[in-house]
Amino acid sequence: MSGNGYMIEVSNLTKRYAGHVAISNLSFTVERGEIVGLLGPNGAGKSTTMRILSCFMPATSGTARVAGLDVFHDADEVRRRIGFMPENNPLYTEMRVREYVKFRARIKGLYGAKMRDRVDTVLQQCGLTDVTKKMIGVLSKGYRQRVGLADALVHEPELIILDEPTIGLDPDQIRSVRQLIKDLGKKHTVLISSHILPEVEMTCSRVLIMRGGHILAADSPANLEKALSHENQIVVELAAPIEDLTICWEQMAEVEHFDIAPIDSDYFRCSLTPVNGADIRPQIFNMVKERGWTLRELSRSRYSLEDIYVRVTRPQSEEELY
Amino acid sequence: MRVFFTLTRRELAGFLVSIAGYVIIAMAVFLMGLSFSVLVGKLEVPTPMPIVELFYMTPFFWLILILSVPVITMRLFALEKYSGTYETLMTTPVGDWQVVLAKFTASLIFYMLMWIPLIGCMYVLSRYSNDAAAFNWVSIGTTYLGIFLVGALFMSVGLLASSLTRNQIVAAMVSLAFTVSVFLLSFAGEKFGMETDWMNEALRYVAMVDHMQDFARGIVDTRQVAFYLTLSSFFLFLTYRVVQSRRWK
């Protein structure tokens, strides 16, 4: 076991299928206790990365280590340390909830009192206590997802890998699953994948944005936002003569670029790009006051993670953040 | 070992909890019933043959053998691959051998359960026939041994077919093609095996109908037992390699 404390170490990982490359030269690390989100559009290579980490299939080249163990050579040991919930959360629908979790606990090497104890704990933890005798096939999607989570947790793995854990859930269920994931982060290392942004933004301490088998950006959601905040915009909505407005923005030194769009009869919506991302809202306010125009909105829009995601994963532009 | 039992139990439950298992059993019982009535018809004419041998001579007996196996085995791997549970299964610390053997064992147990009603047919015959000599438990035992061995071979082929695809229909067709052609090989000897002796000899080794005839007479030939066991092991080994092969690509 390597003592550097990384839970996941991936270096130069490549997976080629016949005819196309799913991931190429992927490298990243995840420290113990982190909740990391893999974010990217469909086909970005998220599931492939997770399948390799969970020893379901080998990589074409490169290495991946979990808790210091190679996923190919020490596959059995790695599998013992991982709780994996694949995409779409496949379950044996003809089994009952408790029966299924017990079965999974057994094949993961738990028996007797310890097994029963763990099964009861995870059923409680995942809020499944009132459906333990129900068949999985009749459960709602939210409950099934929790069964999948209970299965991933039952053997107390060091690393939990969840592929699209909230896909297809209604907003209430999404919230409860997210809360569960956040709670897991207190004891385990968690790697989740998603193509939904707010999910990752809310639950993860770090985000890896993927596209076309590459990692395009890797940082905390806050840092990613900061990195792009110099490109913010100022939105002004006001009633003024259009000619005056144009001259006024042209003369203002801090404004690099502007757009004016009429909205109502009198009002115009102006989007201003300030030089170096300066906050010029006070100047604008003073100017409007001096001229006696009517101002009804003055705001500064910052790039959200969503904008970053859209920018980064846009297929045409090859610009990279780092 | 515990993992193996857990997996076997689950696989068996997969047959017995779902309706599919009972449909298969019902189909088998129906065909056994048809065989039984054909048999009763034959018994009106006095015959020196033992009853079990007569029974297996009815075409329905072979129909059950040939048809039930693909239906039982097609789901074993293909369904798991299709529904994705294969991924959840193979990312736990279970061994590839454990998975293959558990599926094989469970399907074989289910298959033998399916044949239990046959004992009932035999019992009715022994109870109401006047000729006690036509019926003995040893030949029933050896018939069941024969059914078991043929079943083991067919199951291992079905398992291999299922492991190769995620489509249950494809798996069923591949194993059906095998079971039918192996069955037909029994008659190949009579048809064109006369020209050379070695060909005849070789075909006799694989003639299942002849083997079953021996079993039904109470003859257990170790050559035949070895034939079925080695061939089943061979196909199980191939299945194991297929399961393993996902780690080669």
Side-chain angles (χ1 to χ4, degrees), chain A residues 31-240:
Chain A
E31 276 176 50
R32 278 172 199 275
E34 272 190 301
I35 304 184
V36 173
L38 277 183
L39 190 63
N42 296 327
K46 305 184 297 276
S47 293
T48 305
T49 311
M50 290 185 149
R51 283 176 168 178
I52 293 171
L53 283 174
S54 58
C55 316
F56 183 66
M57 59 187 191
T60 312
S61 66
T63 59
R65 303 173 82 81
V66 170
L69 299 158
D70 188 278
V71 294
F72 188 74
H73 298 292
D74 304 310
D76 273 357
E77 268 310 303
V78 170
R79 287 187 210 161
R80 257 175 247 284
R81 286 154 207 268
I82 287 182
F84 178 47
M85 186 172 98
E87 206 173 357
N88 302 324
N89 185 26
L91 302 165
Y92 295 116
T93 47
E94 79 279 3
M95 288 179 100
R96 291 172 197 282
V97 171
R98 197 186 154 79
E99 182 192 14
Y100 176 75
V101 179
K102 268 167 87 174
F103 160 71
R104 297 288 300 176
R106 285 204 187 98
I107 62 173
K108 290 169 178 182
L110 295 177
Y111 293 96
K114 174 127 202 287
M115 181 269 288
R116 280 191 295 275
D117 189 46
R118 278 304 300 163
V119 169
D120 287 335
T121 310
V122 292
L123 287 177
Q124 184 120 43
Q125 198 177 355
C126 299
L128 289 164
T129 35
D130 36 333
V131 293
T132 50
K133 294 235 166 70
K134 283 204 171 159
M135 286 226 305
I136 292 174
V138 305
L139 291 181
S140 70
K141 196 129 197 213
Y143 270 119
R144 287 191 200 194
Q145 213 72 5
R146 291 193 214 175
V147 174
L149 278 170
D151 160 37
L153 291 175
V154 74
H155 57 304
E156 295 187 283
E158 294 173 46
L159 172 65
I160 296 169
I161 300 180
L162 308 170
D163 199 350
E164 309 260 7
T166 59
I167 199 164
L169 299 184
D170 70 36
D172 248 10
Q173 296 167 333
I174 291 181
R175 208 171 307 147
S176 73
V177 168
R178 268 183 205 152
Q179 192 51 49
L180 201 58
I181 294 170
K182 264 190 167 171
D183 293 342
L184 294 181
K186 290 168 193 156
K187 272 175 76 183
H188 311 262
T189 310
V190 184
L191 181 68
I192 68 169
S193 79
S194 178
H195 59 261
I196 307 158
L197 248 138
E199 180 163 301
V200 171
E201 207 169 356
M202 274 182 240
T203 48
C204 299
S205 54
R206 208 149 60 86
V207 184
L208 308 174
I209 300 182
M210 286 184 81
R211 181 187 30 96
H214 296 277
I215 288 182
L216 300 180
D219 214 329
S220 67
N223 281 349
L224 284 174
E225 277 176 39
K226 216 183 288 166
L228 281 178
S229 64
H230 61 89
E231 294 184 48
N232 59 22
Q233 278 200 324
I234 294 189
V235 174
V236 192
E237 227 174 270
L238 75 180

Side-chain angles (χ1 to χ4, degrees), chain B residues 156-176:
Chain B
S156 61
V157 173
L159 193 61
L160 175 65
S162 188
S163 73
L164 289 169
T165 172
R166 44 183 287 145
N167 186 329
Q168 292 193 58
I169 307 293
V170 172
M173 287 315 289
V174 170
S175 45
L176 187 67

Side-chain angles (χ1 to χ4, degrees), chain B residues 27-247:
Chain B
M27 177 198 85
V29 171
F30 172 72
L31 290 176
M32 273 177 221
L34 274 182
S35 302
F36 182 65
S37 57
V38 169
L39 184 63
V40 170
K42 272 191 189 166
L43 281 176
E44 283 179 357
V45 190
T47 163
M49 274 189 175
I51 289 173
V52 252
E53 198 181 331
L54 275 177
F55 180 80
Y56 105 90
M57 292 283 269
T58 59
F60 300 111
F61 174 85
W62 286 98
L63 214 57
I64 300 171
L65 258 182
I66 288 170
L67 286 184
S68 68
V69 171
V71 185
I72 292 173
T73 55
M74 66 180 189
R75 62 199 291 277
L76 291 169
F77 276 103
L79 180 64
E80 292 225 41
K81 284 187 179 177
Y82 180 77
S83 70
T85 49
Y86 190 59
E87 204 173 326
T88 24
L89 180 65
M90 297 321 264
T91 49
T92 56
V94 293
D96 295 346
W97 261 123
Q98 283 169 327
V99 173
V100 172
L101 286 182
K103 284 181 185 292
F104 176 70
T105 311
S107 53
L108 206 52
I109 291 173
F110 175 77
Y111 165 84
M112 290 313 284
L113 286 179
M114 188 186 82
W115 281 106
I116 285 178
L118 181 61
I119 297 179
C121 295
M122 294 302 174
Y123 176 76
V124 169
L125 278 181
S126 74
R127 181 83 175 67
Y128 296 103
S129 79
N130 302 320
D131 187 5
F135 183 85
N136 70 73
W137 287 104
V138 174
S139 62
I140 298 223
T142 50
T143 305
Y144 266 88
L145 178 69
I147 290 174
F148 174 81
L149 290 171
V150 174
L153 171 60
F154 282 4
M155 288 294 159
S156 61
V157 173
L159 193 61
L160 175 65
S162 188
S163 73
L164 289 169
T165 172
R166 44 183 287 145
N167 186 329
Q168 292 193 58
I169 307 293
V170 172
M173 287 315 289
V174 170
S175 45
L176 187 67
F178 180 88
T179 50
V180 169
S181 40
V182 170
F183 171 65
L184 291 179
L185 271 182
S186 308
F187 308 109
E190 293 163 21
K191 188 113 176 143
F192 44 70
M194 296 305 171
E195 290 145 33
T196 52
D197 275 351
W198 68 267
M199 231 174 140
N200 232 341
E201 189 90 340
L203 283 170
R204 254 216 332 273
Y205 277 110
V206 297
M208 291 188 156
V209 175
D210 295 353
H211 296 173
M212 272 315 285
Q213 199 156 17
D214 284 351
F215 283 125
R217 282 177 186 152
I219 302 166
V220 178
D221 187 340
T222 43
R223 272 180 308 177
Q224 290 162 12
V225 176
F227 167 77
Y228 287 109
L229 290 184
T230 47
L231 219 53
S232 308
S233 315
F234 173 68
F235 283 115
L236 283 180
F237 176 73
L238 287 186
T239 312
Y240 166 68
R241 297 302 267 181
V242 171
V243 170
Q244 222 182 17
S245 70
R246 92 204 124 86
R247 308 196 22 93

Side-chain angles (χ1 to χ4, degrees), chain A residues 3 25 65 84 120 134 142 225 247 266 278 289 297 301 310:
Chain A
N25 256 328
R65 303 173 82 81
F84 178 47
D120 287 335
K134 283 204 171 159
E225 277 176 39
I247 296 165
D266 302 326
K289 205 166 66 177
E297 188 186 331
S301 71
V310 171

Side-chain angles (χ1 to χ4, degrees), chain A residues 8-28:
Chain A
I8 304 176
E9 272 179 278
V10 170
S11 65
N12 302 320
L13 205 64
T14 300
K15 175 74 188 177
R16 241 175 260 120
Y17 293 112
H20 92 282
V21 181
I23 52 174
S24 83
N25 256 328
L26 205 67
S27 298
F28 65 90

